[in-house]
Amino acid sequence: MTEWFECKCAYDKMKEDGTMKPVKGETYLVHAFSCSEAEARMVEEMKHVVSGEFQVTDIKSAKYAEMFFATEDAADTFFKIKLAFITLDEKSGAEKKTKQDVLVQASDLQDAVNRLGEGMKGSMMDYTIAAVNESPYFDVFR
């Protein structure tokens, strides 16, 4: 079963003036079968961008219930949206909230909320948006 992994990277980046600048902690999201495959995919993806040293410094699993990607060039930011799904406890009749994270690619916060609404149109579950945050991802590799 494939899953998503957050990969933090460190590398040397060429600045406009021709000097090298060390970059640490850039985070990418990678779809892979394992941590090993995620690391290999990161190395493969970044070899076209990085000319000097490159290292994956951290890998951890990322749990997303849904992902909504965009095709427009202006939608260049990823937003992590925490949804609270509302269910009723059959015994007590009390409302229960189950939280799940969703990743939405959008141009800005309002666009992210709109895209989420479009993506969730067919959902039978009631939900509320508990939080919307810009994710730390520089890119997502599917």
Side-chain angles (χ1 to χ4, degrees), residues 11-14 20 46-54:
Y11 60 91
D12 294 330
K13 184 178 195 175
M14 177 94 52
M20 297 298 275
M46 296 301 284
K47 76 179 183 183
H48 306 289
V49 180
V50 177
S51 58
E53 290 281 325
F54 174 79

Side-chain angles (χ1 to χ4, degrees), residues 6-11 22-28 54-58 136-138:
E6 288 183 3
C7 299
K8 288 195 178 185
C9 303
Y11 60 91
V23 175
K24 294 182 182 182
E26 279 191 357
T27 305
Y28 296 85
F54 174 79
Q55 182 180 17
V56 177
T57 58
D58 187 33
Y137 308 133
F138 277 75

